[in-house]
Amino acid sequence: MFGKRFARLAVPLLALATSVTALAASVTAGAQETPSASARAYVETSYVIAPKAAGDFTLEQSTYDPEQKYAGAGFRYTVPGHQETRIDVYVYPAGKLDRATALSSGMEGFRADLQRALDAGIYTDLQLDDDQAFMLAEADDAPPPAKRRTRRRDDDIAGVLAAVLQANLPVGRELPMRMNLQPQDWPMHSVGYLFYKNLYYIKVRASAAQSRISAESFDTLTDRAARTLVPAIDVANIGDCANSVIHVAQDASANEIAKALVTQSAEHQLDNCHLDADDAGIAGKSADAEVVVIGFDPGEWTSK
């Protein structure tokens, strides 16, 4: 139901620093093995972990309805000095998808939800801008590119390191909008941010009356909210998704195999899959966080 299968890696990412050839040999050997079938569901349980405080943002309330688990969990945050701005974060299942497909599909659903709210009379005069890429890390905070070297071997390693950076690039989509909130008919600033992380969508929705905050201040505050809250919220998934296999073409070169290893291992790490709650460190992560537990029946999540 929810996407393509990956499995647990036997080769650590740190091996990159040693040798592309060694990596290629390790992956080639692993690629010939066929993992045994598992009786476990792809995802049995998801732990949605939202901090009670992140930066100067404080968790005010959380919501979750087990009868509507595919709607996921909701978290409302406040920030001092901005009582006029409502900041909500929604975390809901997406499945195993490549990032581009996830964001494209997720934005379609986002726009459909807005249309339903418009049809229900919650908003009027809804004006949507084009959605655009949104970086969680400012350009100045991004890791520097690998330095170019004269030797071919170092060039290969630089290419693999560049692939690691690309695979972990924290990019989402931003959708600015304006509307009138009913029944008061208040003109509102509003924006939505959508990210794909840990097999889930994380959507940040913020809005404020135009009479109470300038557009510039609203934009600055909501960008900061997304960049603070999205990295701070995690979903730990328990199930067969903790097992992984690297997929490479049979005729792939050593460098292509190494890039596949790095990019697919990075993607697997972003899925945040574990064998059990102890392996995920749930007890330790729960101390200063609100944890919503979403359980799934067998067959609700599959690897395809």
Side-chain angles (χ1 to χ4, degrees):
M1 171 180 170
F2 279 122
K4 181 179 177 182
R5 177 171 187 163
F6 281 77
R8 173 158 286 213
L9 295 164
V11 184
L13 285 177
L14 290 178
L16 268 196
T18 359
S19 159
V20 171
T21 304
L23 289 173
S26 298
V27 178
T28 302
Q32 306 306 316
E33 299 175 1
T34 302
S36 58
S38 172
R40 301 189 70 178
Y42 191 69
V43 173
E44 299 167 346
T45 308
S46 292
Y47 294 86
V48 183
I49 305 164
K52 294 178 180 177
D56 55 349
F57 294 89
T58 301
L59 181 64
E60 182 180 77
Q61 67 179 51
S62 64
T63 57
Y64 172 65
D65 180 0
E67 298 300 318
Q68 302 290 331
K69 60 185 169 186
Y70 290 112
F75 305 94
R76 178 166 296 175
Y77 283 86
T78 59
V79 61
H82 286 284
Q83 292 79 9
E84 81 289 333
T85 303
R86 171 176 165 173
I87 301 168
D88 290 305
V89 185
Y90 303 98
V91 186
Y92 52 101
K96 181 61 183 175
L97 303 166
D98 69 84
R99 191 176 305 177
T101 300
L103 291 176
S104 175
S105 176
M107 288 306 300
E108 289 179 7
F110 193 170
R111 289 176 179 272
D113 288 342
L114 291 170
Q115 184 60 51
R116 281 190 284 271
L118 186 65
D119 294 341
I122 298 172
Y123 309 138
T124 58
D125 196 25
L126 177 63
Q127 303 169 55
L128 298 178
D129 293 345
D130 292 335
D131 60 273
Q132 55 198 359
F134 183 83
M135 297 285 293
L136 280 181
E138 299 277 14
D140 292 343
D141 298 330
K147 292 182 179 179
R148 298 292 294 173
R149 313 267 181 150
T150 55
R151 293 188 301 162
R152 174 63 183 273
R153 185 188 194 82
D154 290 330
D155 283 348
D156 286 345
I157 293 175
V160 173
L161 292 175
V164 175
L165 177 61
Q166 182 64 33
N168 287 282
L169 206 58
V171 180
R173 305 297 297 178
E174 176 185 7
L175 180 62
M177 65 191 86
R178 292 160 302 284
M179 78 278 285
N180 286 10
L181 180 65
Q182 300 305 317
Q184 301 89 348
D185 201 33
W186 288 338
M188 305 290 290
H189 300 301
S190 192
V191 67
Y193 305 85
L194 185 72
F195 298 86
Y196 175 65
K197 174 184 174 183
N198 308 148
L199 303 178
Y200 274 63
Y201 286 121
I202 298 183
K203 179 170 67 178
V204 180
R205 283 283 281 117
S207 57
Q210 293 180 15
S211 61
R212 298 189 62 189
I213 185 173
S214 70
E216 293 76 14
S217 295
F218 179 79
D219 291 346
T220 298
L221 172 63
T222 55
D223 283 358
R224 182 163 62 87
R227 291 188 172 117
T228 300
L229 297 174
V230 174
I233 294 174
D234 280 321
V235 183
N237 297 300
I238 310 301
D240 192 49
C241 66
N243 298 313
S244 72
V245 166
I246 297 295
H247 298 280
V248 295
Q250 291 294 327
D251 58 351
S253 68
N255 198 38
E256 289 169 338
I257 292 173
K259 285 183 179 180
L261 169 71
V262 172
T263 55
Q264 292 183 40
S265 5
E267 289 171 1
H268 178 71
Q269 288 181 353
L270 291 173
D271 291 347
N272 201 15
C273 289
H274 305 271
L275 294 173
D276 52 44
D278 289 340
D279 182 47
I282 299 300
K285 295 175 181 177
S286 302
D288 297 309
E290 185 79 13
V291 180
V292 172
V293 182
I294 305 178
F296 296 96
D297 296 329
E300 286 189 278
W301 282 74
T302 65
S303 60
K304 297 180 180 180

